Amino acid sequence: MLKSKVAVHAVSFGLLPDDAIMLGESYLKQWKIPTAQPITLRLGAYRQPIKVVSVARYDGMRINQSLARRIGLSSSATLRLHYSEKTSTLSLGPIIGVLISRDYPNLPDRPFGSITMFCKELVDGCANEGAHVFFFTPNGITEDSETVEGWVFNNAWKRISMPYPDIVNNRLTSRKLENKPNVQQFLKEIKMRHSAHVFNEKFLDKHEVFDALKSDHKLIRYLPESHLLRNYTMLKAMCSKYDSVFLKPVRGSLGKGIIKITRTDNGGYQAMFTTTAGTRKQQFASLVKLFSSINVKMKTVRYQVQQGLTLIDIAKRPVDFRALVQKNASGKWTVTSIVARTAGGAHFVSNLARGGTLSTVKEAIGKSNLLAARQEAPERLQRAALEIAEGIDQHIPAHFGELGIDLAVDTSGRVWLLEVNSKPSKNDNTPLTELKIRPSVLRMIQYSRYLSGF
């Protein structure tokens, strides 16, 4: 098998000219790299003609310090190597650029706030896998240039200019930032001009997901009845059909702005609103009055109206499940983890931001009021998560490499889809395993290697 991992060392200018690299003899033989003629060195979008000098009994690569700086490498790094005889190009990489919402240059130890730990984990994972990662914000994208201002870790976090990467992982957490003209232009250019891959390239909204998946006969069983709320007639039809319905902001996240509507015994209706302090309840004599109270909100917020479900609970606290589904080293969807989330005491949504608690699937199922199919529940959740991820790929024209899929189980054991998140949280409060580098981080790097051909 070809050796593809190489230790790259930067040496001072006096030892090696800018347009030459030294490479161990074994790599030259295996990859059939010529030494008598110039070839092209490629790192992301960076290209430079170089000559290769063979070094006997040496298992690495030496490059000039100024060249190392131009391609964003520190004094030493381990990368993957690939040589194409057809184009006479020696490629090093993959270079992974992670596009994040903001940085804090005045906080040298936590330049990315709550996701700093995740970013450092990614750096360590890349060092193990033979890849190079940097982090950049929309402000680091420079016009009319093939470089971006980004952060690398070399004993400490440093800001430097980096060539356009092979892979962009879009971790922007705001639609407003994602839709900025310079971001959209950069994503378009990097794909078209440099054949780079961008994954998780856009947000998903609830209506788009349910609308796309309902045409798939395999997935229809996971979908509660769900429509874009356009008028009173639609709300009335859903409330006549179901004991309870949920109104969810089409572009909401973290359980914000959800309204639960239930018929009361006296013929009226109760609305429960999620707030940071807990649940606010309001009684209405009629559905017309309830609708007119939310009609004001509908001028600025689009709602999805969804069938209410009788979900399993633990001591009257609803339970749902978050599956992290990622593409692996072969480009196939796999379930990395599934955790159970139990709603906090004063809430009807289980989100951690609203006081929910995490547990294992087995633990939550064991404590819950699930009446049937207890043994089958974990496997059903796994299968649903995979089938839904495959459905997203098939029916939504965008490239995703990881998805957070929120699922629920009703008291009869049936699995339901609640929502799909294309930007799963990476905050420091994400449950860490005993492992230094989580499987979710390694999988992201392995998928990046798969995409880039390294």
Side-chain angles (χ1 to χ4, degrees):
M1 196 175 159
L2 289 169
K3 279 167 68 174
S4 66
K5 228 173 174 186
V6 64
V8 182
H9 301 282
V11 295
S12 60
F13 186 78
L15 293 171
L16 195 61
D18 210 8
D19 63 350
I21 66 163
M22 298 167 88
L23 189 58
E25 196 175 46
S26 58
Y27 288 100
L28 291 162
K29 281 179 180 169
Q30 283 190 55
W31 286 95
K32 299 185 175 65
I33 302 170
T35 53
Q37 67 200 56
I39 62 169
T40 301
L41 178 69
R42 180 184 82 84
L43 219 124
Y46 181 84
R47 305 279 189 285
Q48 178 170 321
I50 50 146
K51 279 184 72 175
V52 182
V53 179
S54 174
V55 186
R57 295 184 298 282
Y58 173 57
D59 197 26
M61 179 187 286
R62 291 188 189 124
I63 64 173
N64 179 286
Q65 260 173 1
S66 66
L67 172 59
R69 268 198 297 275
R70 277 201 297 282
I71 56 182
L73 294 182
S74 59
S75 55
S76 65
T78 300
L79 293 173
R80 299 276 163 179
L81 165 151
H82 183 272
Y83 181 70
S84 163
E85 269 185 278
K86 195 176 170 186
T87 59
S88 301
T89 301
L90 178 63
S91 301
L92 290 176
I95 305 297
I96 303 167
V98 182
L99 179 54
I100 56 172
S101 294
R102 59 193 65 84
D103 57 8
Y104 306 92
N106 56 338
L107 296 174
D109 293 336
R110 284 181 56 125
F112 317 118
S114 64
I115 62 164
T116 303
M117 258 170 68
F118 159 73
C119 295
K120 180 60 174 70
E121 217 179 321
L122 208 40
V123 169
D124 295 341
C126 281
N128 286 355
E129 287 283 317
H132 189 48
V133 66
F134 69 93
F135 304 86
F136 66 109
T137 69
N139 293 336
I141 297 168
T142 44
E143 281 184 50
D144 307 321
S145 162
E146 292 190 352
T147 61
V148 288
E149 286 298 312
W151 292 83
V152 295
F153 189 86
N154 176 21
N155 299 324
W157 291 105
K158 292 178 179 140
R159 282 182 84 158
I160 61 164
S161 185
M162 288 291 298
Y164 279 3
D166 299 299
I167 305 291
V168 174
N169 179 1
N170 176 1
R171 291 279 335 144
L172 291 176
T173 51
S174 134
R175 284 179 166 87
K176 193 178 169 187
L177 283 177
E178 191 169 85
N179 292 327
K180 279 178 76 169
N182 74 322
V183 172
Q184 287 303 313
Q185 180 57 34
F186 166 75
L187 295 177
K188 189 175 160 186
E189 188 175 313
I190 200 166
K191 285 190 285 187
M192 287 178 70
R193 279 187 56 200
H194 301 289
S195 303
H197 296 270
V198 178
F199 67 85
N200 286 38
E201 57 190 336
K202 74 182 195 91
F203 278 89
L204 290 168
D205 69 38
K206 293 177 181 69
H207 177 65
E208 177 187 24
V209 169
F210 279 81
D211 212 43
L213 299 186
K214 70 184 180 193
S215 61
D216 191 319
H217 68 94
K218 208 165 78 169
L219 301 178
I220 197 86
R221 60 189 167 144
Y222 300 127
L223 306 180
E225 188 178 346
S226 188
H227 307 279
L228 199 56
L229 180 61
R230 297 183 192 279
N231 48 40
Y232 170 73
T233 312
M234 183 174 283
L235 182 64
K236 186 183 174 189
M238 288 291 280
C239 287
S240 330
K241 200 168 178 182
Y242 302 108
D243 293 337
S244 66
V245 300
F246 282 85
L247 302 188
K248 298 179 176 182
V250 160
R251 295 188 158 185
S253 62
L254 305 176
K256 286 177 193 160
I258 295 176
I259 306 167
K260 183 182 181 182
I261 298 172
T262 319
R263 267 199 305 260
T264 54
D265 294 339
N266 61 6
Y269 285 85
Q270 176 182 267
M272 293 165 79
F273 303 84
T274 54
T275 71
T276 43
T279 301
R280 181 170 65 83
K281 294 180 184 176
Q282 206 174 335
Q283 305 291 333
F284 296 90
S286 69
L287 193 59
V288 173
K289 287 189 172 164
L290 189 156
F291 183 76
S292 62
S293 85
I294 58 169
N295 204 16
V296 182
K297 282 195 177 90
M298 283 172 67
K299 288 179 173 63
T300 52
V301 181
R302 287 160 74 228
Y303 285 99
Q304 184 84 348
V305 57
Q306 204 169 79
Q307 161 191 355
L309 303 166
T310 312
L311 301 187
I312 59 169
D313 62 56
I314 296 173
K316 301 272 183 275
R317 290 159 64 197
V319 178
D320 68 23
F321 303 88
R322 162 58 67 98
L324 177 63
V325 189
Q326 293 176 296
K327 285 183 179 164
N328 64 11
S330 325
K332 300 273 188 294
W333 283 112
T334 49
V335 177
T336 302
S337 63
I338 303 185
V339 290
R341 303 181 302 185
T342 306
H347 295 272
F348 62 86
V349 293
S350 64
N351 205 284
L352 299 191
R354 307 251 171 266
T357 53
L358 288 181
S359 63
T360 65
V361 172
K362 202 174 171 184
E363 201 182 335
I365 296 285
K367 289 180 181 173
S368 78
N369 61 339
L370 179 59
L371 306 172
R374 278 178 174 247
Q375 300 298 317
E376 294 91 342
E379 197 195 318
R380 284 182 183 180
L381 287 163
Q382 291 249 1
R383 189 167 63 243
L386 277 180
E387 287 177 359
I388 290 161
E390 284 158 7
I392 295 278
D393 248 5
Q394 212 177 329
H395 302 291
I396 293 179
H399 180 179
F400 300 102
E402 63 174 356
L403 295 166
I405 298 178
D406 291 346
L407 300 166
V409 175
D410 67 20
T411 46
S412 72
R414 183 172 171 181
V415 174
W416 297 90
L417 171 65
L418 299 180
E419 70 173 286
V420 180
N421 185 341
S422 63
K423 310 291 175 94
S425 168
K426 303 293 178 194
N427 289 350
D428 286 354
N429 62 10
T430 308
L432 274 161
T433 62
E434 296 301 303
L435 301 166
K436 187 168 175 266
I437 301 163
R438 283 170 284 181
S440 59
V441 172
L442 285 177
R443 205 156 268 173
M444 194 217 107
I445 300 163
Q446 287 159 357
Y447 180 55
S448 298
R449 279 185 53 203
Y450 163 81
L451 283 177
S452 60
F454 282 101

